[in-house]
Amino acid sequence: MKLNIVNPIETEFYEFKTSLSELDKGIETIAAMLNKHGKAEVFFGVSNEGDVIGLKGQIGAETIKKVEVRISEILKPSIVPTIILEDYEGKKIIHVLAKGNRKPYSSSGDYRIRVGSSNKKIDPDLLGELFFDSERSSLESIESLNQDLSFNMLKYYFVKNGLTINQSNFLSNEGLLLNGKYNMLAYLLSDNNDASIKVVRFAGRDKTKMIMRNEYGYKCIISAMIEANNYVLSLNETRVDIESGMERKEVKLFDSHAFEEAWTNACVHNKWIKNIPPAIYIYDDRIEIISTGGLPYGYTKEEFYSGISHPINIGLFKIMGQLNIIEQTGHGNIVIVDKYGKDAFKIEDNYIIVTIPFAFTPSMKQIDTVGLSDTTIKVLMALKNNPTFTQKELSEITGIGTTRIGTIINELKEKGIVERVGSKKTGYWKIN
């Protein structure tokens, strides 16, 4: 008789042991599975082929207690497993289920990780990386040094997406509190923080000469992420090619969908606890999106490319999913691979770079300023350098009053020189 699970074979999630004489090996497997996926299932009284053979002797509550005690003795840090006695037509088996994300887990002081149907020993030098994937080092588990926080922008995004906000428990429901105090997730999503995303443009194909450096930050990182995203999208010019038969073919500089997927992934999976935000570098022939931290320990490149999701920042991942900023299916990597191939990714131990190549050499065209006043040109150049500027920010940058800024922008809109793309709060200015 086969075990009553879908596809009863040993995998990264299931392990079979014929008897309780293999209890310690089974506990080793639990630790290895927790280190890989944060959950584990081990069956005792089942053959390697998934056939139920049953446990010998009297199997009851006392046996369950012994298994529980042994797990508590040699599995560290401690967990509370679910241990079930199951009956298959008179043949009894013990089914152990475990969950936990306080990595790394050890069995009798030995650290292993599940790879396929085996438990691979972890290099001691890499235990720190496993710790970084643990809830003990998550944004939610670290108290914010700044406890004077507000969340007006975050709440705006919730309302904008049709989500109801219960003021009494909003913060706790979204995982922004740790023992009644704000955690690091709350800090990053608050209206004021020190996180700053940089978008840098270089002349040529290397970093020899920088021609522009924009910072989007010191605010809710969702706002900063969207502003940086909109700036890059505003650069996505179109080239019109005339093919045989005078047919017009429009070619975009880069694939917007692939860029947006790469950028949102970089922001949500960045190891923010290392205090290094993601960044965007723009060259004459490509865009590079850089995020801190490589793949989670035990997460293979094949899993990464195939779209198997393994979020680094679970709380941030959940909130961005609620706000429809990201897809929670791992679809983004598949989009990038489909468009640009696996070579678009450079995966190292401490960072990941996604390269979005340009389809042609961008014109970086100069704006026609004939007939415009010096004041208008000043505003237009400011918008060219940062299309996400608000009227207040334009006033601060140019030294021109906000009322005059509003008049200039209206004139530019009427002349068709600029147009607003998106909403007043989160959109950007497109220069025609």
Side-chain angles (χ1 to χ4, degrees):
M1 178 187 301
K2 287 291 185 181
L3 188 66
N4 187 25
I5 60 173
V6 177
N7 197 16
I9 59 173
E10 290 187 326
T11 66
E12 290 199 343
F13 300 94
Y14 298 124
E15 175 87 342
F16 308 143
K17 297 297 181 186
T18 57
S19 71
L20 288 174
S21 65
E22 299 179 282
L23 179 57
D24 284 8
K25 291 297 291 183
I27 298 172
E28 174 191 282
T29 293
I30 292 173
M33 289 179 173
L34 291 177
N35 285 334
K36 180 64 177 287
H37 295 291
K39 58 184 178 180
E41 290 192 54
V42 178
F43 298 84
F44 295 91
V46 179
S47 73
N48 291 340
E49 292 73 33
D51 295 312
V52 175
I53 58 178
L55 296 170
K56 295 179 180 180
Q58 290 293 108
I59 306 298
E62 187 176 342
T63 307
I64 298 293
K65 185 63 177 177
K66 288 180 179 179
V67 171
E68 184 178 13
V69 169
R70 187 57 178 166
I71 291 174
S72 69
E73 287 176 343
I74 69 173
L75 181 65
K76 304 299 178 185
S78 299
I79 63 167
V80 180
T82 299
I83 305 174
I84 305 170
L85 182 60
E86 298 178 356
D87 190 290
Y88 282 74
E89 298 180 0
K91 295 179 179 180
K92 292 183 178 181
I93 69 170
I94 289 179
H95 179 188
V96 181
L97 301 94
K99 288 186 178 180
N101 198 30
R102 300 177 64 209
K103 306 173 186 176
Y105 288 91
S106 68
S107 174
S108 299
D110 188 35
Y111 293 90
R112 294 179 180 269
I113 194 163
R114 190 71 167 179
V115 179
S117 60
S118 62
N119 305 325
K120 180 182 178 183
K121 196 172 183 65
I122 298 174
D123 187 329
D125 294 336
L126 297 176
L127 284 176
E129 286 302 310
L130 196 58
F131 177 81
F132 273 119
D133 295 332
S134 163
E135 67 179 17
R136 290 184 287 176
S137 65
S138 68
L139 295 173
E140 297 97 303
S141 67
I142 302 172
E143 185 179 314
S144 170
L145 295 177
N146 185 353
Q147 291 292 315
D148 183 20
L149 305 178
S150 62
F151 303 92
N152 295 324
M153 202 67 221
L154 179 62
K155 291 177 180 179
Y156 162 77
Y157 288 121
F158 270 75
V159 173
K160 180 184 176 183
N161 281 272
L163 300 173
T164 302
I165 294 178
N166 186 327
Q167 298 293 348
S168 64
N169 58 15
F170 174 73
L171 297 176
S172 57
N173 284 350
E174 299 308 321
L176 306 183
L177 297 178
L178 174 66
N179 300 323
K181 294 186 176 182
Y182 295 126
N183 56 26
M184 283 303 297
L185 177 61
Y187 180 67
L188 289 173
L189 293 170
S190 67
D191 295 325
N192 294 283
N193 56 58
D194 64 358
S196 178
I197 292 170
K198 295 174 178 60
V199 180
V200 184
R201 282 177 60 181
F202 298 96
R205 300 185 177 187
D206 56 34
K207 295 180 180 178
T208 304
K209 183 179 180 182
M210 182 174 67
I211 59 175
M212 184 280 298
R213 183 176 183 270
N214 284 344
E215 284 202 43
Y216 304 91
Y218 314 109
K219 62 182 73 173
C220 173
I221 59 168
I222 293 176
S223 296
M225 181 189 78
I226 292 173
E227 289 175 2
N229 180 80
N230 288 344
Y231 170 74
V232 176
L233 292 182
S234 73
L235 302 177
N236 196 9
E237 61 187 78
T238 302
R239 184 178 70 183
V240 178
D241 293 335
I242 306 297
E243 298 183 339
S244 58
M246 301 301 289
E247 181 181 348
R248 290 167 55 90
K249 180 182 179 182
E250 294 186 351
V251 180
K252 299 295 291 184
L253 182 62
F254 59 89
D255 186 275
S256 295
H257 188 195
F259 165 75
E260 289 187 283
E261 292 290 349
W263 177 233
T264 52
N265 281 347
C267 290
V268 76
H269 298 302
N270 189 72
K271 286 191 176 178
W272 290 95
I273 61 171
K274 292 190 174 182
N275 205 29
I276 304 175
I280 301 172
Y281 294 161
I282 304 170
Y283 302 86
D284 282 357
D285 63 340
R286 68 194 186 280
I287 299 170
E288 290 182 352
I289 301 106
I290 303 160
S291 58
T292 302
L295 298 181
Y297 190 83
Y299 181 49
T300 67
K301 289 183 179 181
E302 289 70 26
E303 291 171 329
F304 176 82
Y305 294 134
S306 64
I308 296 175
S309 184
H310 193 307
I312 298 292
N313 306 298
I314 295 176
L316 184 59
F317 183 78
K318 172 191 167 187
I319 288 174
M320 288 192 176
Q322 287 178 281
L323 299 178
N324 295 314
I325 295 173
I326 61 167
E327 291 193 37
Q328 302 190 42
T329 60
H331 175 69
N333 290 342
I334 297 175
V335 170
I336 299 165
V337 171
D338 183 61
K339 184 65 181 180
Y340 295 114
K342 293 180 180 179
D343 289 342
F345 295 92
K346 183 178 181 182
I347 302 173
E348 300 292 344
D349 291 340
N350 296 312
Y351 62 86
I352 295 176
I353 298 178
V354 182
T355 299
I356 306 292
F358 290 156
F360 53 88
T361 301
S363 63
M364 302 296 179
K365 62 182 180 181
Q366 298 297 312
I367 299 172
D368 185 2
T369 58
V370 175
L372 301 180
S373 68
D374 291 342
T375 305
T376 301
I377 293 172
K378 196 173 184 180
V379 173
L380 192 55
M381 291 300 104
L383 284 178
K384 182 177 183 292
N385 288 332
N386 191 333
T388 65
F389 274 151
T390 64
Q391 291 190 20
K392 181 180 178 181
E393 289 169 332
L394 283 171
S395 178
E396 293 172 352
I397 291 294
T398 62
I400 303 168
T402 54
T403 301
R404 179 60 181 149
I405 291 287
T407 301
I408 291 172
I409 288 177
N410 285 333
E411 291 174 354
L412 291 171
K413 287 167 65 178
E414 290 173 2
K415 292 179 180 180
I417 297 175
V418 301
E419 62 178 294
R420 187 68 179 176
V421 178
S423 71
K424 188 175 182 180
K425 283 192 174 183
T426 62
Y428 62 91
W429 294 102
K430 179 182 177 183
I431 299 176
N432 298 319

